[in-house]
């Protein structure tokens, strides 16, 4: 038995989930309001027999470990650690001892701290690096001290030699992410770079960012120097998805000002702090995670996004609105006009930066502006684009009053009736808001529908007569495997066991069986057949809708490039596909 199994054996899924969701008994299951999407009537189910949860609304599901991962924003090991503590399972018996692991973590913290000190000393001794920090980056001595900024010498193994001499082991250096894995003999990861330590909320150093010092005195060819910014890899103490840069120094200011500004670049944080605006932090990468928002929301409910590039800003805003429905937080967006980054703005005077922060707009209002600028609200196509971009977001809002407000606002700006907007909204099956703006629309309800279909044909053989009416589907490996299994007309001996060929996807298969029995267990065989055929046809229509969307994009592209012949050919295709039934 491995650690995960031991934990699952000792804990009831309903108890673990019950700490986050108010559950009510419903036959053999428990029911509650889903923590992963907003809903008013419960579609979130927990099944103690199979030790799984599943939401019939947003299609999330899994075992109790994946529940804790999702709800707490943890990785697998962290979730396991948390549950093991609850279950009184000693992980050290399973080779990943938590006591041992925390001892090892302490060792890494010590090692990283020593490395930071070494880098700081190197900076104080390197005139060129000091000049760069002072002149090019305009950093004061105080800032260098506050952020513990240092310099990594441009010799292959300077830090490694130093740390080994101090009695540290090579394996620990490697685990702390200080060495480059490239080449045969391990070298320092950071060479010839200004070093910005990454600290956790308690101020312990967990990793580094190294910025290339461009004007190299030795005149090295630029190609040899690597990327402008280099980051520590993921390590036992550094998890990119949880880390917030500058939080340990910003905390107090965030509480006092009752707001936190989130920027893209770590250097923007440093400059802003230096000029006295200290409630500024950064996330590595642009997509905020639930765990990061949780950490911020513990300090303030007002989170302002300030991203310098429009599409990154859009993706971040969509993501943040979605996350803020699960965490008590109000998201606003500060417009960095003209694509300047905060560093540049501050260079023009701190009051410009302050103005940008103060004039941040509530995220939903910012989104309205964004889409109204992107599409023409006077044209029919523009109206459709704007409403299909905004409706899924409005639909995500947990507060019905706010939702109503934005439905009305949408009707107003598009100059259509509120009823038309509402009708449009109810026609479109609820589509989950995607994390990135670039993601193709509507993939999620397609996934849910696909799963419902797979569930019924997997569990109830009579419904497999619907298979021929199923169109061509794009499927991931788990769903493909189930469809293949069903197509080969196989049945597992018992639906409580997962067949050999599907063992790799056993959790998914368990959820399918659960879903099928919940939805169709009490139906007659002939009703199930009708339902399966129905589902197959709906899937076909979804596939068709996606083709239509692709065609309309192509038409637009052709028109924009002035290729009217191609456009009109495509339009014919569009019309004929549209009239097919
Ligand atoms: Zn849900």
């Amino acid at each position: 038995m491995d650690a995960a199994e031991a934990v699952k054996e000792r804990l009831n899924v309903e108890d673990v989930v019950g700490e986050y969701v108010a559950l009510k008994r419903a036959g053999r299951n428990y029911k509650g309001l889903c923590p992963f999407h907003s809903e008013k009537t419960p579609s979130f189910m927990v099944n103690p027999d199979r030790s799984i949860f599943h939401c019939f609304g947003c299609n999330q599901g899994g075992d109790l470990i994946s529940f804790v991962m999702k709800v707490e924003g943890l990785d697998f090991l962290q979730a396991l650690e948390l549950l093991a503590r609850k279950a009184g399972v000693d992980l050290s018996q399973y080779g990943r001892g938590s006591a041992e692991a925390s001892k090892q973590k302490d060792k890494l913290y010590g090692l990283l701290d020593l490395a930071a000190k070494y880098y700081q000393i190197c900076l104080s001794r390197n005139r060129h690096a000091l000049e760069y920090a002072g002149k090019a980056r305009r950093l004061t001595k105080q800032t260098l001290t506050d952020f513990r900024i240092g310099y990594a010498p441009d010799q292959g193994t300077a830090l490694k030699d130093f740390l080994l001499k101090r009695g540290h082991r090579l394996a620990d250096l490697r685990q702390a992410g200080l060495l480059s894995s490239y080449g045969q003999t391990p070298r320092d990861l950071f060479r010839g770079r200004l070093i910005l330590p990454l600290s956790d909320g308690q101020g312990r150093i967990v990793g580094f960012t190294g910025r290339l010092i461009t004007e190299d005195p030795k005149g090295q060819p630029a190609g040899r120097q690597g990327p402008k910014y280099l980051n520590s890899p993921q390590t036992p103490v550094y998890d990119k998805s949880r880390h917030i840069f500058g939080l340990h120094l910003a905390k107090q200011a965030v509480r006092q000002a009752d707001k936190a500004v989130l920027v893209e670049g770590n250097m923007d944080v440093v400059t802003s702090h230096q000029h006295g605006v200290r409630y500024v932090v950064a996330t590595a990468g642009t997509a905020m995670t639930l765990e990061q928002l949780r950490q911020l929301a513990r300090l303030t409910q007002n989170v302002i996004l300030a991203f310098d590039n429009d599409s990154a800003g859009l993706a971040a805003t969509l993501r943040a609105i979605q996350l803020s429905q699960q965490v008590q937080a109000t998201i606003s967006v500060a417009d960095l006009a003209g694509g300047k980054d905060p560093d540049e703005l501050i260079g023009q005077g701190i009051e410009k930066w302050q103005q940008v922060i103060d004039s941040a707009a509530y995220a939903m209002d910012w989104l309205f502006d964004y889409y109204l600028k992107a599409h023409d609200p006077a044209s029919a196509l523009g109206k459709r684009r704007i409403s299909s971009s905004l409706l899924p977001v409005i639909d995500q809002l947990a507060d019905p009053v706010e939702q109503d407000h934005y439905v009305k606002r949408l009707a107003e700006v598009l100059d259509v009736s509120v009823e038309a907007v509402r009708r449009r909204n109810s026609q479109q099956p609820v589509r989950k808001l995607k994390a990135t703006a670039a993601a193709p629309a509507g993939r999620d309800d397609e996934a849910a529908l696909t799963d419902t279909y797979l569930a019924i044909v997997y569990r109830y053989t009579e419904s497999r007569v619907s298979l021929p009416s199923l169109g061509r589907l794009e499927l991931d490996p788990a769903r493909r495997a189930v469809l293949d299994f069903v197509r080969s007309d196989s049945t597992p001996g018992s639906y409580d066991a997962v067949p050999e060929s599907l063992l790799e996807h056993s959790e998914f298969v368990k959820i399918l069986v659960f879903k099928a029995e919940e939805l169709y267990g009490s139906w007659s065989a002939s009703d199930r057949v009708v339902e399966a055929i129905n589902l197959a046809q709906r899937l076909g229509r979804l596939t068709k809708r996606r083709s239509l969307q692709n065609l309309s994009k192509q038409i637009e592209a052709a028109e924009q490039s002035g290729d009217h012949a191609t456009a009109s050919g495509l339009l014919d295709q569009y019309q004929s596909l549209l009239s097919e039934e």
Side-chain angles (χ1 to χ4, degrees):
M1 180 161 43
D2 68 11
E5 282 168 39
V7 163
K8 282 199 236 174
E9 205 186 61
R10 292 219 202 164
L11 293 174
N12 291 325
V13 63
E14 64 272 28
D15 293 339
V16 172
V17 174
E19 286 185 26
Y20 301 89
V21 180
L23 292 173
K24 277 212 186 96
R25 184 113 218 174
R28 283 157 53 215
N29 301 310
Y30 291 89
K31 238 179 173 179
L33 291 173
C34 177
F36 305 116
H37 82 283
S38 72
E39 59 176 6
K40 281 150 218 142
T41 47
S43 47
F44 178 87
M45 307 275 276
V46 173
N47 180 262
D49 301 341
R50 296 194 165 84
S51 190
I52 52 167
F53 73 94
H54 178 74
C55 174
F56 286 86
C58 68
N59 208 39
Q60 303 256 33
D63 63 9
L64 56 96
I65 298 177
S66 50
F67 177 81
V68 169
M69 284 167 69
K70 282 188 186 120
V71 81
E72 290 280 2
L74 302 176
D75 63 26
F76 179 81
L77 271 185
Q78 289 166 330
L80 188 60
E81 260 177 44
L82 190 150
L83 288 169
R85 238 175 286 141
K86 211 168 277 194
V89 169
D90 179 9
L91 286 180
S92 65
Q93 289 181 338
Y94 301 92
R96 25 168 98 121
S98 55
E100 210 177 298
S102 82
K103 227 192 280 167
Q104 178 62 16
K105 275 187 187 173
D106 284 342
K107 201 189 266 180
L108 297 182
Y109 287 130
L111 187 59
L112 289 160
D113 198 76
L114 188 57
K117 280 185 186 131
Y118 174 78
Y119 288 142
Q120 282 182 285
I121 291 169
C122 290
L123 178 64
S124 71
R125 289 181 184 159
N126 188 301
R127 206 165 51 93
H128 170 63
L130 268 179
E131 252 176 45
Y132 172 78
K135 287 203 183 126
R137 309 300 313 189
R138 299 185 305 274
L139 301 175
T140 63
K141 256 197 169 146
Q142 189 60 47
T143 302
L144 295 181
T145 312
D146 287 349
F147 283 88
R148 301 189 61 184
I149 293 170
Y151 172 69
D154 200 10
Q155 293 134 21
T157 57
L159 177 73
K160 185 183 102 178
D161 297 343
F162 170 79
L163 291 171
L164 292 182
K165 233 180 267 166
R166 291 292 188 101
H168 286 284
R169 296 181 331 164
L170 195 64
D172 292 336
L173 265 67
R174 192 172 275 132
Q175 208 180 24
L178 294 170
L179 299 180
S180 159
S181 49
Y182 187 75
Q184 290 189 331
T185 42
R187 305 169 69 205
D188 293 350
L189 177 65
F190 300 103
R191 298 185 301 275
R193 286 170 185 271
L194 193 73
I195 295 291
L196 196 54
L198 310 173
S199 300
D200 65 9
Q202 301 163 47
R204 290 179 302 197
I205 292 179
V206 295
F208 299 100
T209 289
R211 196 205 186 279
L212 213 57
I213 294 180
T214 33
E215 302 82 11
D216 197 301
K218 287 180 239 151
Q220 271 191 356
R224 257 197 61 194
Q225 299 186 329
K228 192 157 131 191
Y229 285 99
L230 189 63
N231 279 305
S232 286
Q234 197 95 346
T235 70
V237 294
Y238 175 54
D239 179 356
K240 209 169 104 171
S241 70
R242 300 165 63 83
H243 181 254
I244 300 177
F245 178 81
L247 189 64
H248 65 301
L249 294 174
K251 256 188 198 170
Q252 211 192 339
V254 168
R255 270 202 214 96
Q256 272 169 7
D258 193 19
K259 64 180 147 198
V261 176
L262 202 63
V263 296
E264 273 175 285
N266 294 351
M267 268 303 173
D268 297 327
V269 174
V270 175
T271 324
S272 187
H273 275 243
Q274 176 167 308
H275 288 84
V277 181
R278 296 202 168 87
Y279 42 76
V280 177
V281 293
T283 52
T286 48
M288 180 169 26
T289 64
L290 187 59
E291 174 58 26
Q292 285 166 333
L293 185 60
R294 277 231 170 83
Q295 286 182 56
L296 288 177
R298 275 181 220 130
L299 302 169
T300 178
Q301 295 195 352
N302 301 308
V303 177
I304 300 169
L305 309 179
F307 290 102
D308 21 298
N309 130 357
D310 248 13
S311 62
L314 177 63
T317 305
L318 288 171
R319 170 93 181 139
I321 293 175
Q322 181 191 26
L323 295 177
S324 67
Q325 305 307 314
Q326 299 169 52
V327 178
Q328 274 295 329
T330 304
I331 309 292
S332 308
V333 182
D335 241 322
L336 289 156
K340 286 198 178 68
D341 61 31
D343 202 40
E344 281 173 85
L345 265 180
I346 294 166
Q348 296 171 7
I350 189 68
E351 62 290 345
K352 291 234 163 122
W353 175 223
Q354 190 68 63
Q355 256 167 34
V356 163
I357 295 173
D358 292 343
S359 55
Y362 177 53
M364 282 304 294
D365 296 328
W366 182 87
L367 268 187
F368 264 78
D369 280 355
Y370 179 92
Y371 285 120
L372 286 173
K373 261 183 244 159
H375 308 295
D376 173 16
S379 78
L381 190 63
K383 283 186 210 288
R384 206 174 68 208
R385 292 256 159 79
I386 293 167
S387 65
S388 61
S389 300
L390 282 169
L391 275 175
V393 190
I394 295 173
D395 208 53
Q396 287 264 317
L397 298 173
D399 179 357
V401 176
E402 195 185 355
Q403 207 172 54
D404 193 57
H405 169 83
Y406 284 107
V407 166
K408 283 186 185 136
R409 168 109 192 265
L410 183 60
E412 209 177 281
V413 295
L414 296 183
D415 195 21
V416 297
S417 69
V418 172
E419 286 65 39
V421 172
R422 289 226 169 90
R423 212 179 318 127
R424 174 83 201 257
N425 205 13
S426 60
Q427 264 172 12
Q428 276 184 337
V430 178
R431 182 206 294 168
K432 233 190 101 208
L433 185 64
K434 296 299 291 186
T436 59
R443 283 310 299 233
D444 270 337
D445 46 347
E446 204 171 324
L449 194 57
T450 308
D451 288 356
T452 309
Y453 180 73
L454 289 176
I456 195 170
V457 289
Y458 177 80
R459 178 63 183 82
Y460 299 108
T461 42
E462 67 272 14
S463 58
R464 293 183 188 169
V465 294
S466 64
L467 282 167
S469 43
L470 189 66
R472 215 174 53 82
L473 300 177
E474 284 171 43
L475 296 175
D476 63 13
R479 294 183 172 87
R480 173 61 55 198
V482 171
L483 187 60
D484 288 347
F485 180 85
V486 166
R487 280 217 164 111
S488 67
D489 205 27
S490 323
T491 47
S494 142
Y495 286 100
D496 285 329
V498 176
E500 184 95 22
S501 62
L502 294 175
L503 270 183
E504 208 185 320
H505 313 292
S506 62
E507 202 172 280
F508 177 61
V509 172
K510 276 190 214 166
I511 288 174
L512 287 183
V513 173
F514 169 67
K515 198 170 178 173
E517 291 178 353
E518 270 314 304
L519 290 173
Y520 306 116
S522 59
W523 291 32
S524 71
S526 60
D527 281 348
R528 283 186 206 124
V529 169
V530 174
E531 171 76 355
I533 292 171
N534 242 323
L535 287 169
Q537 284 171 349
R538 272 173 65 196
L539 271 172
R541 279 200 292 274
L542 271 183
T543 322
K544 175 173 146 186
R545 193 195 295 169
R546 195 144 38 92
S547 316
L548 284 173
Q549 280 168 351
N550 287 340
L551 272 173
S552 98
K553 267 184 220 137
Q554 287 172 29
I555 293 169
E556 192 186 21
E559 294 220 310
Q560 264 169 8
S561 64
D563 189 354
H564 300 296
T566 307
S568 93
L570 287 167
L571 201 59
D572 287 345
Q573 276 184 46
Y574 187 94
Q575 290 300 349
S576 73
L577 186 57
L578 201 60
S579 54
E580 266 174 33
E581 197 36 71

